[in-house]
Amino acid sequence: MSRYWSDLVSQLTPYVPGEQPRREQLVKLNTNENPYPPSPQVLQVLSAVDGDALRLYPDPDSTELRQSFARLHGLAPEQVFVGNGSDEVLAHVFQALLKHALPLCFPDVTYSFYPVWCDLYGIDYRTIPLADDFTVRPGDYPAENGGVIVPNPNAPTGVLMGLSSVRELLERCPNSVVVIDEAYIDFGGESASGLIGEYGNLLVVQTLSKSRSLAGLRVGVALGNAELIEGLERVKNSFNSYPLDSVAQRAARAALEDEAHFRDTCARVIASRERLSETLAGLGFEVLPSAANFIFARHGQRRARELFAILRERGIVVRHFDKPRIDDYLRISIGTDADCDALVTALEEIL
Ligand SMILES: Cc1ncc(COP(=O)(O)O)c(C=O)c1O
């Protein structure tokens, strides 16, 4: 606390990201990173970086990268906005498109950054309870609202909402922007990006942090009709002209071009997820059906808080959220098969 802080800063409760431990030997299953390296073509681009790439300012519009995203999704570059990780893209979305007189709506169990941005930007919000099985019920959302944002698959549950439910939400709320945060969509869902031509109020947000193994590069994207994108550009150009450095722009394009590597790593993560889910069920866990690169599970007899602490002592880091409805669950990122085996061995001993 300092007397020099603004009232707003004094009142903020910032988001706390999962721990990035310094100890190398830890089995790190807490922040949903991809356990496999990015495309070798990305590494090639990075090793070829020359002084000029750093001496000059980058393209403020990330023109070529936006073209790459547009090609990938069958959209025009004017329908693509890029930023420094999808967290930055989302922050701009909250400010540009979700701050209105009526409250913004999002699930009661969801990405815990959403209420933080609401507090930062003074956005009124209302949480809509998920069903008992943690699915989103579009009919529970008020037709008139200041906007809707839902991760699909949801975080931290991993539960997927089908495209028919996404359509239902869009049709129910034609007067506000519906944001589908698809950070984990490549691990088992179908993107709503194909619906952008039909729904002018749809904004899809994705990231290269998870399925493209580039959490350290910080590249996120929003896809939607050109007017929504222009709104985001207005905020971005009032905040930071150069959110993506030249190296990130080049490397991200290389990642998008390597479709084979992308498909292969996603398939490996999905196979490990299914294997781990089955094994944990055998150890007495109830595992929610996941379409993400993590699972959300609770044990019939042992408290999640206790398991979290014992695993941490054994050098295995998972995530526990001390929040209503989910404090009995552990969120476990899918690691390599060796990581998952280490977790299972530890759990077998503990239980
Ligand atoms: C639902 C969801 N959206 C967005 C993000 C942000 O990802 P990034 O800023 O790395 O693109 C995360 C990160 O964990 C997430 O879980």
Side-chain angles (χ1 to χ4, degrees):
M1 193 62 113
S2 156
R3 68 192 172 98
Y4 299 112
W5 288 0
S6 66
D7 286 347
L8 172 67
V9 166
S10 308
Q11 283 160 23
L12 291 177
T13 309
Y15 173 75
V16 182
E19 180 190 359
Q20 291 294 353
R22 303 251 174 259
R23 258 171 65 196
E24 300 253 309
Q25 317 85 310
L26 288 180
V27 177
K28 189 174 177 307
L29 303 175
N30 67 333
T31 49
N32 300 341
E33 288 136 334
N34 198 309
Y36 302 110
S39 157
Q41 292 175 32
V42 169
L43 302 178
Q44 229 169 30
V45 165
L46 295 179
S47 61
V49 170
D50 59 13
D52 263 354
L54 302 177
R55 184 177 66 77
L56 300 172
Y57 280 107
D59 171 9
D61 300 319
S62 301
T63 310
E64 289 177 297
L65 177 59
R66 284 170 53 223
Q67 283 166 350
S68 297
F69 274 115
R71 256 196 312 277
L72 191 70
H73 293 278
L75 298 168
E78 298 70 40
Q79 295 174 298
V80 178
F81 175 82
V82 291
N84 192 249
S86 63
D87 276 344
E88 187 191 76
V89 172
L90 287 164
H92 291 339
V93 170
F94 273 66
Q95 200 174 26
L97 306 172
L98 303 179
K99 182 179 164 112
H100 296 287
L102 287 171
L104 168 66
C105 296
F106 50 80
D108 60 339
V109 176
T110 198
Y111 186 30
S112 42
F113 222 138
Y114 297 165
V116 176
W117 285 312
C118 287
D119 290 345
L120 178 62
Y121 295 125
I123 300 171
D124 187 18
Y125 67 92
R126 184 176 151 195
T127 58
I128 311 291
L130 295 171
D132 288 344
D133 62 356
F134 292 108
T135 52
V136 173
R137 287 182 297 217
D140 288 356
Y141 283 71
E144 295 301 329
N145 54 60
V148 173
I149 182 161
V150 184
N152 193 35
N154 198 5
T157 63
V159 174
L160 184 74
M161 173 169 62
L163 277 193
S164 58
S165 295
V166 175
R167 273 184 190 280
E168 206 181 323
L169 259 182
L170 287 159
E171 281 166 21
R172 206 176 153 73
C173 315
N175 299 321
S176 49
V177 175
V178 174
V179 182
I180 307 295
D181 177 357
E182 295 187 336
Y184 304 102
I185 195 70
D186 298 322
F187 299 106
E190 189 182 352
S191 174
S193 66
L195 304 180
I196 286 169
E198 276 178 74
Y199 298 98
N201 60 331
L202 168 62
L203 192 81
V204 174
V205 176
Q206 294 191 352
T207 177
L208 299 197
S209 296
K210 317 291 182 178
S211 56
R212 306 270 174 178
S213 308
L214 289 172
L217 198 72
R218 311 307 300 131
V219 179
V221 62
L223 311 163
N225 103 30
E227 284 171 23
L228 298 185
I229 299 304
E230 193 188 336
L232 296 176
E233 293 289 347
R234 288 170 73 96
V235 170
K236 171 242 168 194
N237 288 322
S238 307
F239 179 78
N240 178 5
S241 308
Y242 308 105
L244 283 189
D245 62 69
S246 359
V247 179
Q249 291 184 35
R250 289 185 198 179
R253 283 173 57 215
L256 293 181
E257 276 157 25
D258 195 346
E259 188 69 15
H261 180 86
F262 162 70
R263 293 208 178 283
D264 179 54
T265 42
C266 286
R268 290 168 76 182
V269 169
I270 291 167
S272 304
R273 177 187 74 210
E274 296 310 303
R275 182 170 160 264
L276 181 62
S277 301
E278 218 169 281
T279 312
L280 292 190
L283 289 177
F285 281 90
E286 178 203 339
V287 185
L288 296 189
S290 170
N293 67 338
F294 57 85
I295 54 175
F296 207 50
R298 69 173 165 186
H299 193 263
Q301 270 86 50
R302 302 290 288 267
R303 307 306 304 264
R305 182 178 295 114
E306 184 199 357
L307 288 177
F308 170 84
I310 303 175
L311 286 170
R312 184 74 182 74
E313 273 167 26
R314 289 171 172 245
I316 298 174
V317 200
V318 296
R319 194 104 196 248
H320 174 246
F321 297 91
D322 206 355
K323 293 198 171 150
R325 289 189 79 182
I326 56 169
D327 60 345
D328 258 348
Y329 286 83
L330 292 176
R331 193 195 67 188
I332 304 165
S333 307
I334 303 302
T336 59
D337 279 338
D339 293 336
C340 296
D341 289 347
L343 171 76
V344 168
T345 304
L347 284 171
E348 279 168 349
E349 288 168 16
I350 296 165
L351 298 167

